[in-house]
Amino acid sequence: MKKRKAVWGGRFKSGPTESLRAIGDSLRIDRRLAPFDIRASIAHARMLGKRRIIPKRDADAIVRELTRMFDDVLFGRRVITREDADAHEDVHSWIEHTLTERIGAAGKKVHTARSRNDQVATAFRLWIDDSLGDGLFKRLVPLVHALLRQAATSIDVVVPAYTHLQRGQPVSLAHHLLAYAEMFDRDARRLAACAVRNGRSPLGSGAATGVPHRIDRAATAKELGFAGPSANSMDAVSDRDFAAEFLFALSLTAVHLSRLAEDVCLWSSSEWNLLELGDSVSTGSSIMPQKRNPDGAELTRGKTGRVIGHLVGLLTTLKGLPMTYNRDLQEDKEAVFDAYDTVVMCLRVMTDTIGESRFRPEAAERLLKKGHLLATELADFLVAEKGVAFRDAHEIVGKLVRRLDDEKLDLSDVDETWLAKFDARFKGCAKWLDFRRAVDRRDHVGGTATRQVKKQLAAWKKRLK
Amino acid sequence: MKKRKAVWGGRFKSGPTESLRAIGDSLRIDRRLAPFDIRASIAHARMLGKRRIIPKRDADAIVRELTRMFDDVLFGRRVITREDADAHEDVHSWIEHTLTERIGAAGKKVHTARSRNDQVATAFRLWIDDSLGDGLFKRLVPLVHALLRQAATSIDVVVPAYTHLQRGQPVSLAHHLLAYAEMFDRDARRLAACAVRNGRSPLGSGAATGVPHRIDRAATAKELGFAGPSANSMDAVSDRDFAAEFLFALSLTAVHLSRLAEDVCLWSSSEWNLLELGDSVSTGSSIMPQKRNPDGAELTRGKTGRVIGHLVGLLTTLKGLPMTYNRDLQEDKEAVFDAYDTVVMCLRVMTDTIGESRFRPEAAERLLKKGHLLATELADFLVAEKGVAFRDAHEIVGKLVRRLDDEKLDLSDVDETWLAKFDARFKGCAKWLDFRRAVDRRDHVGGTATRQVKKQLAAWKKRLK
Amino acid sequence: MKKRKAVWGGRFKSGPTESLRAIGDSLRIDRRLAPFDIRASIAHARMLGKRRIIPKRDADAIVRELTRMFDDVLFGRRVITREDADAHEDVHSWIEHTLTERIGAAGKKVHTARSRNDQVATAFRLWIDDSLGDGLFKRLVPLVHALLRQAATSIDVVVPAYTHLQRGQPVSLAHHLLAYAEMFDRDARRLAACAVRNGRSPLGSGAATGVPHRIDRAATAKELGFAGPSANSMDAVSDRDFAAEFLFALSLTAVHLSRLAEDVCLWSSSEWNLLELGDSVSTGSSIMPQKRNPDGAELTRGKTGRVIGHLVGLLTTLKGLPMTYNRDLQEDKEAVFDAYDTVVMCLRVMTDTIGESRFRPEAAERLLKKGHLLATELADFLVAEKGVAFRDAHEIVGKLVRRLDDEKLDLSDVDETWLAKFDARFKGCAKWLDFRRAVDRRDHVGGTATRQVKKQLAAWKKRLK
Amino acid sequence: MKKRKAVWGGRFKSGPTESLRAIGDSLRIDRRLAPFDIRASIAHARMLGKRRIIPKRDADAIVRELTRMFDDVLFGRRVITREDADAHEDVHSWIEHTLTERIGAAGKKVHTARSRNDQVATAFRLWIDDSLGDGLFKRLVPLVHALLRQAATSIDVVVPAYTHLQRGQPVSLAHHLLAYAEMFDRDARRLAACAVRNGRSPLGSGAATGVPHRIDRAATAKELGFAGPSANSMDAVSDRDFAAEFLFALSLTAVHLSRLAEDVCLWSSSEWNLLELGDSVSTGSSIMPQKRNPDGAELTRGKTGRVIGHLVGLLTTLKGLPMTYNRDLQEDKEAVFDAYDTVVMCLRVMTDTIGESRFRPEAAERLLKKGHLLATELADFLVAEKGVAFRDAHEIVGKLVRRLDDEKLDLSDVDETWLAKFDARFKGCAKWLDFRRAVDRRDHVGGTATRQVKKQLAAWKKRLK
């Protein structure tokens, strides 16, 4: 391993053991922070210059060179290599060293009035904020669009709504799909709230107590897009609430994806046969030549565990840590990066899966035939037109179903005449024995009536425009 | 076990096995929902009457009797007993049965146009909202007050600020305590956000698809204090995001409590000897007569695992569930109730622990004597007054510390003369070798300077008024 | 709250705050340890007497009275009441106080040469060991029996084996059921291993360092059924590996139960319609009169999260605790008790669910008709009888399936003639186009052939005899 | 992305989307399985040849070439590159393709009578077994050795034993260190038990039901070192108990490491000042030039969360999966690999940390001076020599401590005369007021007496020889 110089080496007689370097080095992981740390360093250096904490000339040189580095990193002209990772312990020392190599002595002044503790907290917050817009929202929206597109063509497709995986009542397939749009919408708002609630800049908190210079924290906070500086330096350097919140928001998104994935697995089973997976979103078997597996959905469902695991990992790491910064906190980044990458990938996979598959209306009709799907309808008919108390109506229909089962019949096999013979109060129920009418009768906010589903769709289109 | 009648028995020839009753019955747990379910039932019945879905007269009877039950339950005149728990499967059927026993046939109409699925989701959301104000905020505020009171008397107490559990720089003890106030403030805001973000009423979503009656969901939502009705019935009955969010917010609060608890354990150790635990907040040993243990802090720290465990439990339960309601979801309540009770208890314990203990200023002084606490100050002196680049200054002081260590001296043992002999550039550093001045030099937003800490304290007092 | 005397009160001027009592008191939870702590105390007192550490006469009095208490507790003649729970902090002090009340001064000698630290570790280990035999094994065996009974009658029922929830190859339903027997067998062995690996007695480790008396640890270990005394007193009082292992073994059992539950939910759906749930193991809906829900299976699946949550809770609690005993460890018991109770309940529920339901052979036949279930068979025919390399055979059959799909045919719809027209190499494949033969061809250890399944069944019967 | 051919492409008209490839491809992860999959393929091919399922000549060619590949991979002559990872979906198809490229048509026969489902389960089990010996045991032993070496030189160093982080009783530092040896020993045995309990070969289970060829599963199991073939093919392809067990065993090891790390952090704090960290195992600060941080210990403690997170992830992934193989299971490997790498790294770090640091006997003496460390001794004196009941003795000494506290004295400040004035029964206690004697009085198995500690050390040396 190459000899190198740590930014803290002064008092040490020998360098770290190989194992300590291996566990401590983080450039392979935190290089993703490079553009954000550079941006924060630019703001910091500009402020140092304005406040004459370092000479204006030095500040200008730093800002100029860092701006160049920012572009180099962003446009891939400068890539952090394996050699860099061997030679520097983290992205912060890599940036400082690179800067000093290029502009000489002035570079050694960039770390004035800050510490790695406030520096890393700042860069990491910037990364999370950035990951929302270009990463998560950009992936959430197409998934909702894919759901909306399928919904738009399936308003008239009536399927069973399931509770307990048992057929319950008829519902518009579009209504089912829009339920997922609600979940992902809550996810988007939850993620956005992370950014808002954590919008305080730690920069200037130093190692833990602030710095003995006349810094202008409001200025750096503003330049970096924060709502303002944090209120307490000790809290600022040891707070990882923002990372835990982000991991939780990702976990809940993953849970929602896992539920959609489960529905996809069921729908594409031979038993349901409701969803025909596109060739491009299913895979085969190494041994069974006929297989068409919903691997994308399965992997998405499986990866939920991983995202939840990262959340648990960070909470466990934080538990019981005394004030202020402890090196344990270094564990925050890999967990967040991997959870983010995982969720982004799953969003893409489920977007493709929903987008490139086809629902089979003919299968929908078959699914309605068993399950006494209009039983609730009959009970509500008794309530609405015969004045029977609901609890009594429920009991009457319950007995009817028992009789049908004994005779191996489904409610969809019999008509008003048959029913009236079973119980005279069923006279007049004919128009309640219709799937579409049952759907359209649920004509209130949130109900599955065609009119309501169209309203939901219109509202979604408006919001996503 | 007493014979009983389930609200769904119609089609069944025999009752459930003992094991199914044991796993399914929930009245022992969900009886806490009673006042909330009654409130929701009142709003529902009133709406049913107004819309003539059930006769006005019946609706009035239901509302009148439920109002009486609400008071009975709230004021403890009616307690849910072990016998009730044997005779009813859950709080919802207990309420309906009790109602019907008292007012006869009209009671059988209360379940018109709703299902247990929307009913339980509504009552549970109301419970969570309620638990914030009277439970959590009422417990968080005294803890912050206890911290503020200790902070107010310790502005002038200088202690080491620790990073890596190593002494780093001098800091006002009040500043350290206020860091915790920040954490608990974020917790309060995070908890409040749960309520806001989840403020949609599921009532009227029925089993999953809505109900075939002309209900007025906006009216019930308004009466119950929700921002409005939920937008999609399938989502509404299967959504437990609000419970998961609440558990996460509780988990993060527990993590913060665990960090404070860890600090209390350290401070009250013989090694720190900084905090003298009151007799009423410490306990002894069954065998070692001299022990004075910080049990409250230890138990608080230990219980963090339990709260995180509940969060993991619910996320795991939700993972991979297909739409819509599945009975698995019943697991939500016990987890939330226990996590809430645990955090409330820990808040009380830590409030007492902080409130009834005493910091020892004399110990603070002792703690400052070792650890070269002013080393950063010396480096900053070189930067500020000698124009040395920070990175070079850091190196110079690093070597100084190495020399001091070799001579078994602490920086607090030497003076400017000694230092100037080591390196001439230290000439003039005398006034940087003072703990209080070092503290007061950090005079920017979030810094530990006396002026800043007083500002923080004043801001807190204003907010909590 | 009643005034009481703690076993450690000597040096304290005032009693604990109400909050500290609330968080610290554990009699409501640890009363389950009573018979085990009494047993351990008997062994301890007997040894103290033999070694003359306390007078023989006192030891005898203690042993006599504790033996009586043991019977009283075991046979329910002495129940720990709410008043007891208010008056004593834990089960250990309750026992000591009760003893001293009854036999006077001699009772004050029972705590000689031990501490609560070694005492609680001993009683808890004894409880876990005991919970295996009478609790878990007694519940695991009937579940395996229920599976074996269903298997015995379904050897000849051929169903699709699923991978990716897609139909793959024909399999004996009995073979599918026996897969679960394997899992629960591993669970039983894993649980038993907890007992073995943790079979060292902590008694005599004192608070942490041992005790200054000539105790005979081998004797107490032997009397209590341990393999021997633990080797290091500091480890012995702070080790909770046995509790974590037990929670893990319970978690994996819960995971297996959740997989069986998932299969039950699928099998009892209208789509599969393979399993007819008995009336006594399904429940209905408060609104949909026709519903027959697999609630037992769903609740079992849902409760997996809870058990895993307890495991996470304990691991999180243990993480980062310094040596030796810390009060955080008190959290171990409630987690273990609840996880144990939960798994025992789920075992009963799934035993009833499997035992009181019926598989429908007619549904099995229907399930075989779609899914090209014999595709692998055709490929293997090409390998075995035509010398085609497997990878080429897989490709040929893959193309065949594509053609069948295009023509909306299933492989079960065509015969050798049709196939030979598609590709001449299929000539002679007729006898490979038979579900039963396909099953019986897998005639090797672990395969699904009737002969092998019968062997498996016979082996199970022998083992469980 | 390069065009490529999947092993299952036959029936598909188009290839997978980029997102599906991204989520499904695993060669970057599972390449670590290469040598194990090759070994299993060799055993499989040899058996196919022997049984004439494929021509002997083809089998020989396969075995010969795979043997060469095994060596190439093992000795790094063949490295799996980024290009390989783009061109193949997993390590299994990479091996089969490479083989077929080299030996032509015969290579297409290696996949006869197996499936990726049994193949991956076999290779993964082999990897885990292998990771024990060369990985974990090889790292656990040096850590125990490092502890033994420090223990050997600190038998006579008396320090306080802590409970509740409060000083309790005097103990030999060696005894404290040996407590950790016990933990890591349990870890080693727990890890070894994973291997034993899971020693059944899944090879030959095919996709899920076995294979229609006369394979010899006992032969392949034996060649690969398994105890025998698995008993049920459906269980064999979907069982991941072995991975979960391994993750649990790693988690508990990580928890033990975190406890040792916590002790190291405390010992190396200025407050304890008991452990002097070597330069090579501590790091500095970017801003505070005097810092010497126990980063290795902190990172080790922090990484516990990560390992527990992986365990949670896998358990969550497994929860609720129906039979048999589901693609979700692919998540098993990355979790296991990372948890293993993490624990191996932490073991190295803690071995270096313990090995390259120095305990300060002079600090130990200072630590004994406060904390009334001999209070239990005095109580035991009353019991042993004055016939006082322990509970009364505890109370007498409790009051003594209260008096000492009031007078700001420590028990170590007073002598028998002073004590006898406080209470005449203390007459004769002088020889109980000695730290070393107190230690040596605990002279029973597991106690801290010098004689016992030496026995422990001897036993360890014998075992590790």
Side-chain angles (χ1 to χ4, degrees), chain D residues 420-448:
Chain D
K421 245 182 267 168
F422 176 80
D423 190 316
R425 284 169 289 189
F426 284 127
K427 199 161 287 176
C429 73
K431 73 167 178 295
W432 291 73
L433 293 175
D434 181 273
F435 293 120
R436 173 138 316 278
R437 275 191 188 151
V439 165
D440 280 336
R441 213 171 271 127
R442 279 141 178 85
D443 192 8
H444 52 74
V445 180
T448 188

Side-chain angles (χ1 to χ4, degrees), chain B residues 313-326:
Chain B
L314 184 61
L315 290 175
T316 304
T317 295
L318 293 175
K319 175 243 158 188
L321 280 194
M323 286 290 254
T324 55
Y325 180 84
N326 296 278

Side-chain angles (χ1 to χ4, degrees), chain D residues 251-266:
Chain D
S251 294
L252 217 41
T253 308
V255 164
H256 295 150
L257 285 163
S258 80
R259 299 190 72 173
L260 177 56
E262 176 76 6
D263 269 346
V264 165
C265 289
L266 293 174

Side-chain angles (χ1 to χ4, degrees), chain A residues 5 7-8 10-13 96 105 108-109 111-112 117 161-165 169-171 175-176 178-180 182-183 186 189-190 193 197 204 207-213 215 217 229-235 238-239 241 244-245 248 251-252 255-256 258-259 262-263 266 301 304 308 311-312 315 318-327 377 380 383-384 387 389-392 394-395 398-399 401-402 405-406 432 441-442 444-448 456, chain B residues 5 7-8 10-13 96 105 108-109 111-112 117 161-165 169-171 175-176 178-180 182-183 186 189-190 193 197 204 207-213 215 217 229-235 238-239 241 244-245 248 252 255-256 258-259 262-263 266 301 304 308 311-312 315 318-327 377 380 383-384 387 389-392 394-395 398-399 401-402 405-406 432 441-442 444-448 456:
Chain A
K5 214 177 148 213
V7 291
W8 42 262
R11 74 169 289 194
F12 288 81
K13 289 172 187 171
E96 188 176 330
K108 294 179 175 180
K109 296 184 178 167
H111 206 58
T112 312
N117 295 354
Y162 294 80
T163 62
H164 307 254
L165 208 62
Q169 300 168 341
V171 79
H175 194 62
H176 187 151
L178 290 174
Y180 282 107
E182 292 292 325
M183 296 181 210
R186 273 197 302 279
R189 283 186 290 133
R190 189 176 299 109
R197 189 154 44 246
T209 64
V211 296
H213 301 277
I215 56 173
R217 296 187 63 209
S230 58
N232 182 295
S233 59
M234 295 185 82
D235 175 53
S238 67
D239 167 30
D241 286 8
E245 280 203 7
F248 171 71
S251 293
L252 216 42
V255 164
H256 295 149
S258 82
R259 300 191 70 172
E262 176 76 5
D263 269 346
L266 294 174
R301 186 180 56 190
T304 313
I308 294 174
L311 171 62
V312 172
L315 290 175
L318 292 175
K319 175 243 154 185
L321 280 192
M323 287 290 254
T324 59
Y325 181 84
N326 295 277
R327 191 68 187 274
E377 230 46 32
D380 276 313
V383 168
F390 180 76
R391 191 52 63 211
D392 296 329
H394 184 281
E395 179 120 19
K399 279 174 187 154
V401 167
R402 197 160 136 185
D405 281 352
D406 285 347
W432 291 72
R441 213 171 269 127
R442 278 139 177 88
H444 52 73
V445 179
T448 187
Q456 282 185 60
Chain B
K5 213 173 150 220
V7 292
W8 43 263
R11 75 167 291 192
F12 288 81
K13 289 173 188 170
E96 189 177 329
K108 294 178 175 182
K109 297 183 179 167
H111 207 58
T112 311
N117 295 355
Y162 293 80
T163 64
H164 307 254
L165 207 62
Q169 299 168 342
V171 78
H175 194 62
H176 188 151
L178 290 174
Y180 282 107
E182 292 292 323
M183 296 184 210
R186 275 198 302 280
R189 283 186 291 133
R190 191 177 297 109
R197 189 154 48 246
T209 65
V211 295
H213 302 279
I215 55 172
R217 296 187 63 210
S230 59
N232 182 293
S233 58
M234 295 186 81
D235 175 52
S238 66
D239 166 30
D241 286 9
E245 280 203 6
F248 171 71
L252 217 42
V255 164
H256 295 149
S258 82
R259 301 190 71 172
E262 176 77 5
D263 269 346
L266 294 174
R301 184 178 60 188
T304 313
I308 295 174
L311 171 63
V312 171
L315 290 175
L318 293 175
K319 175 243 158 188
L321 280 194
M323 286 290 254
T324 55
Y325 180 84
N326 296 278
R327 191 69 186 273
E377 231 45 33
D380 277 312
V383 169
F390 180 76
R391 192 52 64 211
D392 295 329
H394 184 281
E395 180 119 18
K399 278 172 190 157
V401 167
R402 199 160 134 184
D405 281 350
D406 286 346
W432 290 72
R441 214 172 268 125
R442 279 141 177 86
H444 52 73
V445 180
T448 188
Q456 282 186 61

Side-chain angles (χ1 to χ4, degrees), chain B residues 270-271 287-291, chain C residues 209, chain D residues 158-163 166-171 363-380 397 401 404 409-413 432-435 438-439 441-442:
Chain B
S270 292
E271 283 65 25
I287 178 169
M288 296 171 287
Q290 88 280 19
K291 292 297 289 298
Chain C
T209 64
Chain D
V158 180
V159 291
Y162 294 79
T163 62
Q166 297 285 325
R167 295 174 185 169
Q169 299 168 342
V171 79
E365 270 170 57
R366 183 179 43 78
L367 293 173
L368 294 171
K369 282 189 189 142
K370 291 269 167 216
H372 309 297
L373 275 168
L374 295 173
T376 324
E377 230 45 31
L378 272 191
D380 277 313
V397 180
V401 167
L404 288 164
L409 289 169
D410 189 79
L411 185 48
S412 64
D413 299 326
W432 291 73
L433 293 175
D434 181 273
F435 293 120
V439 165
R441 213 171 271 127
R442 279 141 178 85

